[in-house]
Amino acid sequence: MKVNVLKKTDEAIEFEVEGLTPAFAGELRRIMLSEVNTMAIEWIDFHKNDSVLWDEIIANRVGLIPLVFDPKLFSTKEECKCSGKGCSNCQVIFSLKKKGPCIVYSGDLVSSDKNVKPVHERIPIVELKEGQELEFEAIAQLGTGREHAKWQGAVVGYEVSGKKYRFYVESVCGLKAEDVVKQSFEVLNKKIEEFTEDLTKLK
Ligand SMILES: [Zn+2]
């Protein structure tokens, strides 16, 4: 399998792969969409919400805010040494406290880890009128697009030209597009290894 990168920015990457079968190309695309670990807010504890939006709607909006993080420093709750109780290796706490009149933005979220923060600071969450307050604490953790769209890593398309598959990948999470691709190849390799191991056991 030969990979040739054609264009690359932090947000998007275009590359060709030679020697893929249609099934593998489809599988690689599906992994990039739904099996790459990204960080998103999963739990919110509201202390005050006088805004016109229900807690559930605000929680949904906050959950969809993409977060920058270093994938090498975090593990999923299931794989963490804390056995899923929650610690600094598998979760990040955010807090927010605002009083109107103002528009609450993603950049108003205060993170317990300075390296984990919203990708964009100006994503509007809700408008607060005079005297209205919004106050909550939230927990972000790793997940995949298969569990919920808020953890989707990228939008991905590909076309076939001759013997090559040309992929177009745009990151929609806090990872660089090339990191989404690298993680996807790792997931694909792991699947192949597990399958080979299972085959060996059958002998
Ligand atoms: Zn943990």
Side-chain angles (χ1 to χ4, degrees):
M1 191 163 61
K2 201 175 147 201
V3 182
N4 183 24
V5 177
L6 304 166
K7 278 187 199 164
K8 190 178 85 169
T9 61
D10 283 354
E11 294 80 31
I13 188 165
E14 208 177 307
F15 62 96
E16 283 177 338
V17 191
E18 213 179 315
L20 275 186
T21 64
F24 263 79
E27 177 66 0
L28 189 58
R29 175 180 175 273
R30 203 185 54 73
I31 291 172
M32 284 191 256
L33 290 174
S34 62
E35 291 194 51
V36 169
N37 280 319
T38 74
M39 179 82 77
I41 287 175
E42 170 69 342
W43 305 101
I44 298 196
D45 186 10
F46 285 91
H47 303 307
K48 271 181 193 164
N49 178 14
D50 307 323
S51 79
V52 293
L53 297 184
W54 292 333
D55 291 0
E56 290 84 350
I57 296 175
I58 291 181
N60 187 46
R61 296 182 82 131
V62 170
L64 289 167
I65 294 171
L67 301 172
V68 178
F69 71 104
D70 183 343
K72 292 190 282 300
L73 300 180
F74 289 94
S75 57
T76 60
K77 278 200 161 173
E78 298 76 46
E79 288 171 352
C80 190
K81 58 189 177 194
C82 73
S83 324
K85 287 192 194 87
C87 70
S88 58
N89 293 316
C90 63
Q91 66 180 30
V92 177
I93 315 251
F94 284 88
S95 59
L96 185 136
K97 191 176 181 178
K98 293 291 282 184
K99 191 172 183 179
C102 66
I103 294 177
V104 182
Y105 288 101
S106 49
D108 293 316
L109 288 163
V110 179
S111 175
S112 62
D113 182 331
K114 66 178 185 349
N115 297 315
V116 181
K117 56 186 178 186
V119 176
H120 306 287
E121 294 211 322
R122 300 288 283 177
I123 301 171
I125 297 171
V126 65
E127 183 177 0
L128 298 177
K129 299 289 185 197
E130 180 73 44
Q132 289 182 337
E133 290 181 71
L134 178 64
E135 191 180 333
F136 62 73
E137 216 166 73
I139 296 174
Q141 64 190 53
L142 294 184
T144 63
R146 192 159 59 175
E147 296 164 66
H148 191 286
K150 66 184 172 185
W151 282 299
Q152 184 175 328
V155 283
V156 186
Y158 66 81
E159 60 182 2
V160 191
S161 66
K163 288 180 181 170
K164 293 174 183 161
Y165 284 80
R166 181 181 284 207
F167 283 84
Y168 303 88
V169 181
E170 191 184 333
S171 172
V172 291
C173 66
L175 294 172
K176 286 180 189 172
E178 66 174 295
D179 289 329
V180 172
V181 176
K182 278 184 201 159
Q183 271 203 51
S184 302
F185 274 105
E186 281 166 21
V187 171
L188 187 60
N189 271 338
K190 206 174 156 200
K191 281 173 183 248
I192 294 168
E193 273 168 26
E194 281 168 7
F195 178 67
T196 315
E197 233 172 72
D198 285 350
L199 273 185
T200 318
K201 277 182 209 155
L202 280 176
K203 277 181 188 168

